[in-house]
């Protein structure tokens, strides 16, 4: 079986999330560099794979797949019998995994991504951070994290007592919040959220990319 090709960039946290998933599943892959600083993701060769011009994109035989959350869900299902079990052992556990995956995508990521965009991306493009927008999204995220704190007081991970796709999905944006945006207090001020973050961000398959 040919190795899965991952078209991505080593400094892209979403690319790293997919690589982390592959490593957790003990799947052979080939990283095909898409050089973001030179605009390779907007050139016709790459747009033929992913018309949205973002990374990562994978090729697995005849399948070409983009959107990192879709990619890791596909990998978790295809390789369910090997490596880390991201989906639990019962239908109920799998349902909880998907529930918390949706929470990440619908409730956690929008304010977290907005904070990162205002603090990191806007200044890089020559603009000024909208502090009011940051404050508004911090308030939104605090409410979400309060719910996480309650949940994580009862289980080690979001979907239960096993590391799942739901936890994996939180790695990229939380990494930026804590390590680049100066918003680590959102995590560290919540005992159970902090313990959870320390746990998932210390997994060798993730940590190796940032040490």
């Amino acid at each position: 079986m040919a190795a899965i090709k991952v078209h991505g960039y080593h400094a892209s946290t979403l690319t790293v999330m997919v690589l982390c998933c592959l490593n957790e599943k003990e799947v052979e892959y080939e990283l095909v560099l898409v050089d973001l600083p030179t605009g390779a993701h907007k050139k016709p060769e790459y747009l033929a794979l992913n018309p949205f011009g973002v990374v990562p994109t994978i090729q697995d035989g005849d399948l070409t797949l983009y959107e990192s959350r879709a990619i890791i869900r596909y990998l978790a299902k295809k390789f369910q019998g090997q490596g880390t079990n991201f989906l639990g052992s019962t239908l109920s556990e799998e349902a909880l995994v998907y529930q918390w995956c949706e929470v990440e995508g619908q409730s956690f990521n929008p304010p977290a991504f907005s904070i990162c965009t205002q603090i990191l991306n806007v200044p890089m493009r020559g603009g000024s951070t909208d502090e009011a927008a940051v404050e508004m999204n911090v308030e939104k995220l605090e409410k979400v994290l309060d719910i996480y704190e309650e949940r994580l007081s009862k289980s080690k991970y979001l979907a239960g007592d096993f590391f799942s796709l739901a936890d994996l999905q939180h790695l990229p944006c939380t990494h930026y919040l804590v390590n680049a945006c100066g918003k680590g207090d959102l995590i560290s001020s919540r005992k159970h959220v902090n313990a959870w973050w320390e746990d998932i961000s210390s997994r060798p398959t993730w940590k190796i990319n940032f040490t």
Side-chain angles (χ1 to χ4, degrees):
M1 182 183 297
I4 292 176
K5 289 185 178 180
V6 181
H7 299 265
Y9 187 64
H10 55 83
S12 156
T13 52
L14 291 176
T15 298
V16 172
M17 182 177 73
V18 170
L19 299 183
C20 178
C21 180
L22 285 160
N23 287 324
E24 292 274 355
K25 299 301 290 181
E26 301 170 4
V27 174
E28 184 180 356
Y29 63 87
E30 173 192 353
L31 178 60
V32 181
L33 178 65
V34 181
D35 195 7
L36 300 187
T38 63
H41 56 307
K42 300 299 183 183
K43 293 180 179 177
E45 296 83 359
Y46 186 70
L47 292 174
L49 295 175
N50 184 339
F52 294 98
V54 295
V55 295
T57 299
I58 69 166
Q59 289 180 296
D60 184 16
D62 294 332
L63 175 67
T64 298
L65 190 64
Y66 45 83
E67 293 298 333
S68 57
R69 292 174 182 82
I71 291 171
I72 63 172
R73 185 173 293 197
Y74 166 74
L75 295 172
K77 291 291 283 188
K78 178 172 182 176
F79 301 103
Q80 193 163 0
Q82 69 186 69
T84 300
N85 180 3
F86 284 123
L87 300 175
S89 303
T90 66
L91 181 61
S92 295
E93 288 180 346
E94 185 172 343
L96 286 172
V97 171
Y98 291 147
Q99 170 186 275
W100 284 100
C101 284
E102 288 298 314
V103 170
E104 185 277 330
Q106 302 298 325
S107 299
F108 176 89
N109 190 68
F113 184 79
S114 295
I115 293 166
C116 292
T117 297
Q118 284 295 332
I119 294 176
L120 300 176
N121 295 58
V122 171
M124 284 175 59
R125 296 169 184 158
S128 300
T129 295
D130 184 339
E131 297 295 345
V134 172
E135 183 178 349
M136 178 184 69
N137 282 290
V138 165
E139 290 177 2
K140 289 181 180 179
L141 191 56
E142 284 180 329
K143 292 177 181 178
V144 175
L145 289 172
D146 286 343
I147 295 172
Y148 280 37
E149 179 69 7
E150 172 65 17
R151 170 60 179 169
L152 292 165
S153 72
K154 299 173 181 175
S155 63
K156 186 174 182 180
Y157 300 101
L158 288 172
D161 290 324
F162 60 98
F163 180 69
S164 77
L165 287 186
D167 307 296
L168 182 64
Q169 283 185 193
H170 284 80
L171 284 167
C173 214
T174 313
H175 172 84
Y176 276 120
L177 280 173
V178 172
N179 297 297
C181 294
K183 297 299 180 182
D185 59 303
L186 288 168
I187 304 299
S188 61
S189 63
R190 293 166 172 83
K191 176 183 175 181
H192 297 100
V193 171
N194 187 62
W196 165 76
W197 174 246
E198 290 293 323
D199 183 313
I200 68 172
S201 63
S202 295
R203 293 182 77 86
T205 51
W206 176 260
K207 192 175 179 180
I208 190 174
N209 296 281
F210 301 105
T211 56

